[in-house]
Amino acid sequence: MPLENYELIFREIPEAVILTDMECRILACNTLAEELLGTKGEDIRGRRIQAFLNSPPLMNLLDEAVMFARVPALNHENSVIELNIRGKRKYYKVSMKLFELQDPKSKTLLFTLTDITIIKEMEQHKTDFFAVASHEFRTPLTSIFMGVGMIKSGQLGQITPRGKEILEAIESDCTRLLQLANNLLDLSRMETGWISLELEDVSVYDVINAALATLKLQAEHKNIALYTKLPSDLPLVRADVNKIIWVVTNLVGNALRYTEEKGSIIVKAIRKGSRVIFSVADTGKGIPDTYHEKIFQKFVQIDGGTGGAGLGLAICKEIVEAHGGEIWLKSELGKGSTFSFSIPVGRG
Amino acid sequence: MQKILLVEDEKNIILGVKTCLEVANYQVLVVEDGEKAIETAVNERPDLILLDLMLPKIDGFTVCRELKSKEETKNIPIVVLTAKVEEESRRRAMEAGADSYMTKPFRPEELWQEIKKFIV
Ligand SMILES: Nc1ncnc2c1ncn2[C@@H]1O[C@H](COP(=O)(O)OP(=O)(O)OP(=O)(O)O)[C@@H](O)[C@H]1O
Ligand SMILES: [Mg+2]
């Protein structure tokens, strides 16, 4: 193809493409980029990009790229920027590449901005939907819980043992429904980046004790030994205490659910550098290798799960990552699983 | 017998909550909108008010604020019963003068326990 065609193609690429030198001075940009910068028809070559785009997060990325001559690690969080384009709020995904131009030989930074406003809006609709749905679940559940509770108390008339059993089954299924509604709401909020953490320095011992307090009885019922193994000198961790309790509760809850009677569950925590690693090890049925990555995705279950919806681990992952930590899994089929996650140590 | 004013517009919830309170020997008055809530609170001087937030006519936040600003009703404890789980609406309700905030759904024992914090 003749060379001019490539220039034409560059101009018409349906994404905003901008090329700068290592001082962020614009070398070239295509039609969509000009629209985005609001500079259609002007010659802006040689001017600094900062003059046209008002987005501190994007500038940080560009600065980092030119300063270290290396593309920063882009993730879902830092690569999505918000811009105000002619009064409308728009979202763009940033991609970057550093390379050398041939004539004259010089390092350049190429970056593209992909309009993902529509995806963001859809995410928002989804979150709104779950918020409304979760709210709408609560009203009927109230009258069910109250009604069942009153009948079960026997104060409205005697009930038979079978009748009581049925009422308890209704209560337990309603609790499940409520949890599902809560989980769907939490997860959709977190996915939209709405997770707000109330960070403080918290005691690992308190977190683990609070989580286990609610599960001890369940473990006894199932005849599973549930114990902790904690060194006495653990540092505080920087965390949202309720959310971390939630994570530990869920991992232990899973371990209980997926471990046979007479098994055991150990909850541990150790310090490793600037992090504390929590782990929950069980002697349950284990998780096949092929699932180790995707088990943290929502709705993923092995053999359809046992009564859950496949949301617990996805929420755990969102919470842990929001803390700047990681979550992972080691497991041997038939022998058991160990879920671990890391949380930064506290400041104090 | 102590008197509780229940402000709630959902028929089925009224049935459950009213039963739960009567069994525990409280006298229960029920109104289904915010306007009547204020009127009844002033006239009847209940010992406690259970207040939903999403109500016809005047919303629960406003009812709460009104009642807490009136000499005759400002000392009556208000327990909010609501499906709104957001931290933001809890904050708003407490700012409006609510004494406690319970999210729906709840069980009879939980309701009794909450009420006992305010009246014997
Ligand atoms: N400790 C474990 N041992 C064996 N399998 C597990 C364990 N923890 C999780 N799993 C598997 O991973 C799947 C996903 O777990 P997750 O907690 O996300 O969902 P769930 O427990 O099925 O439902 P929910 O948590 O929403 O109530 C489970 O269905 C189960 O198949
Ligand atoms: Mg689970």
Side-chain angles (χ1 to χ4, degrees), chain A residues 183 246 249-251 253-255 257-258 301 308-313 316:
Chain A
N183 286 350
W246 198 97
T249 307
N250 256 268
L251 294 180
N254 277 350
R257 200 188 260 170
Y258 304 108
Q301 295 181 305
L311 294 173
L313 290 174
C316 288

Side-chain angles (χ1 to χ4, degrees), chain A residues 281-294:
Chain A
D282 65 51
T283 57
K285 57 183 177 185
I287 294 170
D289 284 350
T290 46
Y291 278 94
H292 285 199
E293 284 285 325
K294 65 180 175 200

Side-chain angles (χ1 to χ4, degrees), chain A residues 18-21 25-29 45-46 101 106-109:
Chain A
I18 300 169
L19 194 69
T20 74
D21 65 14
R25 281 187 299 248
I26 298 165
L27 297 174
C29 60
R45 276 172 301 176
L101 283 182
S106 62
K107 270 210 160 65
T108 54
L109 172 64

Side-chain angles (χ1 to χ4, degrees), chain A residues 25 84 107 109 129 137 171 189 194 212 245 276 278 306 348:
Chain A
R25 281 187 299 248
N84 191 324
K107 270 210 160 65
L109 172 64
F129 167 78
F137 266 83
E171 253 184 349
R189 273 195 190 145
W194 270 23
L212 296 194
I245 292 175
V276 170
F278 293 71
T306 314

Side-chain angles (χ1 to χ4, degrees), chain A residues 160-198:
Chain A
T160 61
R162 176 59 66 90
K164 188 157 183 190
E165 210 179 313
I166 290 176
L167 292 172
E168 268 156 13
I170 297 177
E171 253 184 349
S172 117
D173 274 352
C174 283
T175 306
R176 188 166 141 193
L177 205 56
L178 177 63
Q179 253 160 23
L180 177 63
N182 283 339
N183 286 350
L184 282 170
L185 176 64
D186 286 347
L187 189 60
S188 73
R189 273 195 190 145
M190 289 174 194
E191 284 175 341
T192 326
W194 270 23
I195 178 164
S196 65
L197 297 179
E198 285 170 36

